[in-house]
Amino acid sequence: MKPVRHPDAPAPGELLGAHYGQCFGCGGDQPHGLHLQARAGEGVSITAEFTVRPAHQGAPGLAHGGVLATALDETLGSLNWLLRTIAVTGRLETDFRRPVPVDTTLYLEAEVTAVAGRKIYSTATGRIGGPDGPVAVRADALFIEVKVEHFVQNGREEEIRAAMDDPDQLRRARAFEVNP
């Protein structure tokens, strides 16, 4: 089924912000995190970017492949906010096309391609040198819609309680946005 943007989703161009301060992908409270910045796009799409820092390297001077996969996963997971759905990564298939040097900004684009029941299918690309630069990484993903109980039953009680007790309903909902 063709994906449908939720009527209350952020407007195109709007910065989504971190879904949780401690998130390694987008959280501002993680000193070595990616600090990924995502913006709502048209339809069910987003754009995002992050700059590879020395703490993100694997081989000398190059981004670690796992960090690049994390950036793709975070970007793809942020799409679910446009659907207003809580979902976790079920599958992430990643292709590494070219190395990404430290101090390079990775420009990411992602879109939901289909929704079938609780399954959400999406795709993303990461480019270097600008939004029209060469593709460095790409991924296809399957996300599975879950209820907030998934996190309550599996997360650390201290963090779950802090997120659930947040008086800001928007921040509370976003805390349970992506990943298992």
Side-chain angles (χ1 to χ4, degrees):
M1 174 169 74
K2 184 175 166 85
V4 178
R5 183 189 192 101
H6 193 279
D8 295 332
E14 187 174 330
L15 187 64
L16 299 183
H19 75 272
Y20 179 60
Q22 290 295 325
C23 176
F24 181 79
C26 66
D29 298 337
Q30 281 289 342
H32 297 296
L34 305 184
H35 303 159
L36 190 129
Q37 298 278 316
R39 290 190 182 280
E42 298 293 331
V44 188
S45 70
I46 65 168
T47 59
E49 60 184 62
F50 90 97
T51 301
V52 178
R53 295 180 296 166
H56 302 144
Q57 65 189 312
L62 298 173
H64 189 286
V67 169
L68 297 175
T70 300
L72 288 162
D73 186 46
E74 184 68 29
T75 302
L76 290 158
S78 295
L79 287 165
N80 298 314
W81 188 240
L82 300 179
L83 301 171
R84 294 292 191 175
T85 299
I86 298 172
V88 296
T89 310
R91 179 181 55 82
L92 179 67
E93 183 178 329
T94 307
D95 298 317
F96 300 95
R97 301 272 175 94
R98 66 181 61 229
V100 180
V102 169
D103 296 325
T104 296
T105 298
L106 190 65
Y107 297 87
L108 299 134
E109 295 179 350
E111 69 176 330
V112 175
T113 56
V115 176
R118 293 178 47 224
K119 296 179 180 179
I120 302 163
Y121 298 91
S122 53
T123 188
T125 57
R127 298 174 181 272
I128 55 177
D132 296 320
V135 173
V137 293
R138 64 165 313 282
D140 292 310
L142 166 66
F143 281 79
I144 307 297
E145 182 180 353
V146 296
K147 302 295 180 204
V148 74
E149 288 76 27
H150 168 86
F151 300 95
V152 172
Q153 293 169 1
N154 296 292
R156 276 193 346 178
E157 186 176 341
E158 175 181 317
E159 282 89 354
I160 296 296
R161 190 173 325 125
M164 296 291 277
D165 290 344
D166 191 324
D168 184 318
Q169 289 185 346
L170 189 61
R171 271 200 322 254
R172 185 178 336 138
R174 292 224 44 216
F176 300 101
E177 180 181 31
V178 295
N179 297 332

